[in-house]
Amino acid sequence: PDFEQAKEVEEKGTNNFETEDEFENPANRSLLNKLIRRSLVESPYNVEVLQRDPKSPLYSVKTFEELHLKRALLDGVYAMGFNRPSKIQANALPMMLADPPQNLIAQSQSGTGKTAAFALAMLSRVEAKKSYPQCICLSPTFELALQTGKVIEEMGKFCDEVKVVYAVRGNRPSRGSHIDAQIIIGTPGTVMDWCFKLRLVDVSNISVFVLDEADVMINVQGHSDHSIRVKRAMPKTCQMLLFSATFEDSVWCFAERIVPDPNIIKLKKEELTLDNIQQFYVACECKEQKYSTLCNLYGIITIAQAIIFCQTRKIASWLSRQLSDDGHGVVLLSGELAVSDRAHMIHRFREGKEKVLVTTNVCARGIDVEQVSIVVNFDLPLNVDGSVDYETYLHRIGRTGRFGKKGIAMNLVEKKCLHMLQEIEKQFKTRIKKLNNQDFDDME
Ligand code: ADP
């Protein structure tokens, strides 16, 4: 690896790769995705359905009308601009709204419509005339709870008597006081307190129990236990619904403890490929030469939009400073920014208000940057041991097939690291073409 980088790693330990960074935190990543997403992520795959009772007829809906929702709720759905159910909704909603209620475990990547689905299910099940809690939804963090609550409130805005209350830190009604909201949304510890310590909720009245972001949940200390304790108190008749963006074994074990006799719905995530990407490299002597190469490239990359990746925060901030000192428009997406500031910046970038974004892996990981047609690897992505981090390489420049968009990836590589390019070529069975500084004029 780059000597500077190696030295930095030695000096500061792995921290320099931001692995300890709070933005590595899955809850923050999930929140960030919610904040920047404005539309549905559609998958080219079909939903896989595993029914608890394989003999019962399987059906999916094509319209929200088919669900026979209350008028006010249907109006709320349409007012949000939802014309028809997403893939996951088309299959999950009939099960979620069936009578007698059925339990469900649903897994699909973020942005596929899970939150909207359970918001609708809760709003559809509550009896507005009864002013006490009937639905509980657990979220992993304060911010995620508020975000989900907002969706429920918006969808239910024409359901006049339906209220949402937040069982999160800072909101502490006095012991034994009456809660008239039908829907409680909160974090597991606080919900547990509300149910058992403060006795604010008569759990025997709960008819829907939702556990959102199960994969994030199990990574927060104490959340699994608290969730299971809340779940155990629910009446036998209570409908259990669990959602997750990913489904590793640990999530699965947890899901089985929360949801008895479940129907299971899964939607596969589309794989990234390098098929539509033209990859190039320029061999450079040192960091400074990488920089001057980048400056030569600037005319080309700013025709479209570009993301420039650096291995460390330190290099990213050095690079963005250098670029702006030299009069180039650039923004730095840094791990030091608050999640909402980061979301704001990515938003501006997506809207084309910013042309060039300099960042590190951690900052951009998990964020969908499909529209970016040029990616510059100012540094090749490396593992802590100095070997090529293939997964991150693919994640930085790969695109899903469905967009069919062409992209360009430019690798600025120090001569001593050139062998890594061959390793990448071999790994992905792909070609990375050599460019010289003078070739750039031809590219324009
Ligand atoms: P998830 O919970 O799987 O991350 P969301 O329910 O938050 O997904 O939906 C992702 C985005 O798509 C949100 O902006 C949401 O408003 C929107 N959305 C959800 N369902 C639909 C739909 N049926 N039609 C159009 N947009 C939708």
Side-chain angles (χ1 to χ4, degrees), residues 38-40 64 82 84-86 89 110-116:
R38 277 166 305 162
S39 63
L40 211 50
F64 286 111
F82 300 176
R84 70 190 82 76
S86 71
Q89 291 162 0
S110 90
T112 47
K114 299 184 295 298
T115 307

